Amino acid sequence: MDVSLLIIQTLNGLQLGLLLFLVASGLTLVFGILDFVNLAHAALYMVGAFICATLTYALGNFIYAVIVSLPITAAVGFVVERFVARPLYARGHLDQVLATFGLILVFETLAHMIWGPAGIAVPLPPALDGQTLLPGAIEIPTFRLVIIGAGLAAAGGLFWLVNYTRLGMLIRAGASNRTMVGALGINIQLLFSLVFALGAALAGLAGMLIAPITEASIGMGNSIIITAFVVIIVGGIGSMKGAFIAALLIGLIDTLGRSFLDDLFGLFMSSDAAENAAPAVSAMLIYIIMAGVLAFRPQGLFPPKVR
Amino acid sequence: MERISRQDWIAIIVLALLAVLPPLFLSMGQSFWMDLATRLVILAIAASSLNLVLGYGGLVSFGHAAFVGLGAYAVGIPAHHWLYGGMDPIATTNGFVQIGLAVGVCALFALVTGLICLRTRGVYFIMITMAFAQMVYYGIVSIEEYGGDDGLVIDSRSEFPGISLDDPLQLYLLAWASLVVVVVLVRMIVNSRFGMVLKGGKGNEQRMATLGFNIYAYRLVAYVISGAICGYAGALLGNFTTFISPEMMDWGRSGELMFMVILGGAATLAGPILGATVFIVLEEALSSWTVYWHLPFGLFLILVVLYVRGGLTGLLSGKKED
């Protein structure tokens, strides 16, 4: 096994894990506080990427585009909360799933109408576009390091926001007992809208960060949203800590599984059999792990204490 | 003699219309409508199987497309090996073997995943069923022999003595007869003691447990039955389209099946059939009108969820569900 390949793939896994955390944290925040299952989170991820792509060309710089796109994506989330999510809070999860499924269709078609059927590539500024030399003569695209840095910064910011600010205190209180928070004179409606907008901005940020690598495209959110669901199931729905740990775990396992599973299988079966089995198993690996976790802990690894 | 309710009458009328109209269209040379009706009837079988767990059992499965896909591949894979060699034990075009394989594989998949899924509740159940379906999706995608992402062409349909599925009318009649059998079967199940326990678990799980019922076991059996029926629908769908791909088990397909059930009316016999009918006709009408048909379709879905409680059957029979 090649050590530098192992380091590169570990960094790639970390990058995937942090992107997953950005998507999953919004999902788990909205579910924990609003008791609302939001499939359309995938659409917000896509919307973030498309808005950022457009603004990159309009403003001429990817970084400015991200800064301007964040509040716009949050605003989209705010509007979605007001007109689609709010009437559904009192309904069952089934209705929420179906309505937000419809919302995905609406958003994807709107994106198709506005931006066309093809994906939009997002150019990076020269400073971020090259390779960075790590110790041990390992070359890695600079932008991947930027994603890791931005993901860690966002996670840290979120941790600070939830644990050390007044808004965060209200969010935690709302997750424990929203009726009580409302009774104490807090504008719970506004709190919900803000949480939803925050989740949208986080999903949008993940979309913006991945866009220069994969380009902004319709349906880009559909694969990551399922993985994000796996993350919050494994972590425990509603738990921010669980989402963070599970996201890194899933990101690393998925990436490392895809590159090293055939070597691992080669240790105890013929190399032909290993080559045939490895792709199938590595594609299903995170689901197998999810099943394993749920078989022993149906509430996930870190279930929130009060629900 | 059991009382035949208004809801049963709706089911009988819809099934009768489906028996008469499509062959009539075919005799007028409108084979397009025949194709549409075949797809509709097959999806109605799948939706009915979902309705058994979702409507009557209160188990919101977001992964039923996986059963449809597995059922279709249970037809496609033996046919593929029959033509190109390899995997001798299952290389056949014998319809009984293929259907048996479809039903068996889906029942087994439902049993194994159900053992884990049913330990969870509410939104966990929704997401874990969805994740297991996605697991099958990625599993099939990664097997290159069966076409991976590109899918697999079924060169030879299932063979049964005396009937030829290459004839659209015979295929349709088989699908229609299967739908009738499934509807009768579902009605028998939900009116039996077993069905009463299942419905009781939906209403109040704790009460059923206190009454001494092992609700987990009842749900598992219902889930396995549902998966097996859905796999049968998948085998028919494979025979109808003669082209199968992992896209059949995309989570969007699972969402569509759920929508059919809710649109037509969950926990009603006619609901899944009505839902599938409106769904297919609307999809066809909108997509021939504009390429952006997902926009009005998505809005329609949102409006139905927000404002039509009890689905179409609820509207027709004038009785509020819930």
Side-chain angles (χ1 to χ4, degrees):
Chain A
M1 200 187 287
D2 188 350
V3 176
S4 66
L5 183 64
L6 179 67
I7 294 176
I8 290 175
Q9 291 296 14
T10 307
L11 286 173
N12 285 343
L14 200 62
Q15 174 219 316
L16 175 63
L18 287 164
L19 283 175
L20 278 175
F21 172 69
L22 290 181
V23 178
S25 61
L27 271 179
T28 209
L29 207 59
V30 167
F31 184 81
I33 297 164
L34 282 63
D35 196 25
F36 182 73
V37 191
N38 185 20
L39 288 184
H41 212 66
L44 295 166
Y45 173 83
M46 175 195 73
V47 166
F50 269 113
I51 291 175
C52 179
T54 305
L55 287 176
T56 304
Y57 290 105
L59 303 174
N61 186 310
F62 172 71
I63 296 172
Y64 296 148
V66 169
I67 294 170
V68 180
S69 304
L70 278 174
I72 299 179
T73 320
V76 173
F78 200 87
V79 172
V80 167
E81 196 275 340
R82 178 66 194 84
F83 292 102
V84 183
R86 200 174 288 180
L88 288 164
Y89 290 152
R91 300 288 193 80
H93 293 139
L94 173 60
D95 286 353
Q96 298 171 353
V97 165
L98 278 176
T100 52
F101 177 64
L103 205 56
I104 291 183
L105 297 181
V106 170
F107 268 114
E108 288 194 339
T109 319
L110 284 176
H112 185 183
M113 291 165 97
I114 297 172
W115 287 289
I120 304 178
V122 179
L124 284 169
L128 303 180
D129 205 11
Q131 303 273 328
T132 298
L133 205 60
L134 296 179
I138 296 164
E139 267 200 344
I140 187 163
T142 309
F143 189 65
R144 292 200 181 261
L145 293 178
V146 172
I147 294 181
I148 294 175
L152 283 175
L158 203 56
F159 180 77
W160 170 77
L161 177 80
V162 170
N163 287 308
Y164 296 103
T165 64
R166 184 178 159 76
L167 178 63
M169 187 181 71
L170 292 177
I171 288 175
R172 280 178 290 134
S176 303
N177 191 334
R178 50 177 158 161
T179 319
M180 183 62 86
V181 176
L184 289 172
I186 305 300
N187 185 346
I188 198 93
Q189 226 38 284
L190 182 66
L191 181 67
F192 284 3
S193 302
L194 286 178
V195 167
F196 209 98
L198 177 64
L202 287 166
L205 177 63
M208 293 167 210
L209 288 174
I210 200 71
I213 297 179
T214 62
E215 70 186 29
S217 62
I218 293 162
M220 65 187 286
N222 289 349
S223 56
I224 198 162
I225 191 82
I226 309 274
T227 320
F229 276 138
V230 172
V231 164
I232 65 172
I233 293 172
V234 169
I237 302 176
S239 160
M240 196 62 87
K241 177 176 135 200
F244 185 70
I245 294 172
L248 292 187
L249 210 63
I250 298 283
L252 284 170
I253 289 172
D254 193 45
T255 312
L256 295 178
R258 279 172 207 278
S259 33
F260 298 113
L261 208 62
D262 48 347
D263 292 341
L264 195 68
F265 279 8
L267 297 177
F268 55 86
M269 55 171 85
S270 74
S271 63
D272 265 3
E275 247 169 59
N276 285 326
V281 175
S282 62
M284 300 192 290
L285 193 59
I286 58 170
Y287 304 102
I288 298 169
I289 286 174
M290 175 194 73
V293 168
L294 286 185
F296 294 101
R297 296 181 70 108
Q299 300 296 305
L301 293 174
F302 303 95
K305 286 191 190 66
V306 192
R307 275 235 39 88
Chain B
M1 187 69 197
E2 285 177 77
R3 196 175 59 90
I4 295 180
S5 71
R6 200 160 169 179
Q7 281 186 13
D8 291 342
W9 278 115
I10 297 175
I12 292 168
I13 291 167
V14 175
L15 283 173
L17 284 176
L18 283 173
V20 178
L21 286 182
L24 205 64
F25 283 132
L26 190 69
S27 67
M28 295 189 301
Q30 302 275 347
S31 62
F32 168 78
W33 290 99
M34 187 69 180
D35 276 2
L36 204 66
T38 312
R39 204 153 76 84
L40 185 167
V41 167
I42 294 172
L43 287 176
I45 298 174
S48 295
S49 79
L50 176 61
N51 188 34
L52 179 64
V53 284
L54 190 153
Y56 296 103
L59 305 167
V60 184
S61 163
F62 203 156
H64 258 54
F67 297 116
V68 176
L70 284 173
Y73 272 89
V75 172
I77 290 175
H80 172 82
H81 286 299
W82 178 77
L83 201 60
Y84 298 104
M87 298 281 282
D88 288 332
I90 59 161
T92 178
T93 56
N94 183 323
F96 294 110
V97 175
Q98 292 180 341
I99 299 255
L101 206 60
V103 171
V105 165
C106 287
L108 186 68
F109 181 70
L111 178 69
V112 173
T113 59
L115 278 170
I116 299 169
C117 295
L118 289 167
R119 286 167 54 89
T120 65
R121 295 281 169 276
V123 68
Y124 279 89
F125 185 82
I126 299 177
M127 290 183 185
I128 192 175
T129 48
M130 180 187 191
F132 273 128
Q134 207 65 12
M135 179 181 93
V136 179
Y137 173 90
Y138 284 121
I140 297 280
V141 165
S142 68
I143 305 177
E144 273 172 30
E145 180 167 12
Y146 305 134
D149 248 342
D150 299 329
L152 189 65
V153 173
I154 300 181
D155 294 296
S156 168
R157 290 188 164 98
S158 301
E159 285 170 352
F160 293 98
I163 41 177
S164 160
L165 298 187
D166 290 327
D167 174 16
L169 184 62
Q170 294 191 28
L171 178 61
Y172 178 75
L173 290 177
L174 175 68
W176 181 83
S178 306
L179 176 61
V180 173
V181 171
V182 166
V183 169
V184 171
L185 190 71
V186 169
R187 186 172 191 274
M188 274 165 55
I189 291 173
V190 296
N191 287 337
S192 69
R193 179 178 176 280
F194 173 84
M196 296 294 173
V197 177
L198 189 66
K199 285 186 279 185
K202 178 192 182 185
N204 188 336
E205 187 179 343
Q206 214 165 19
R207 184 165 56 206
M208 296 312 288
T210 318
L211 287 172
F213 291 105
N214 181 359
I215 193 76
Y216 177 80
Y218 280 84
R219 283 177 170 163
L220 188 60
V221 172
Y223 194 66
V224 170
I225 295 173
S226 171
I229 296 175
C230 202
Y232 177 74
L236 287 179
L237 194 62
N239 271 304
F240 168 62
T241 58
T242 64
F243 169 73
I244 51 180
S245 76
E247 205 269 336
M248 294 170 87
M249 34 190 145
D250 183 72
W251 61 284
R253 301 289 91 75
S254 297
E256 287 173 8
L257 283 178
M258 280 166 68
F259 181 44
M260 289 174 203
V261 174
I262 300 303
L263 174 64
T268 62
L269 274 186
I273 313 171
L274 280 175
T277 308
V278 173
F279 184 97
I280 296 287
V281 171
L282 195 67
E283 182 185 67
E284 199 55 48
L286 288 177
S287 61
S288 63
W289 171 52
T290 165
V291 283
Y292 301 120
W293 67 276
H294 270 131
L295 181 64
F297 195 79
L299 289 172
F300 174 70
L301 205 169
I302 296 172
L303 291 175
V304 166
V305 172
L306 284 179
Y307 300 110
V308 186
R309 306 302 300 272
L312 296 170
T313 312
L315 290 178
L316 285 176
S317 63
K319 204 172 74 180
K320 282 266 177 278
E321 292 294 318
D322 277 28

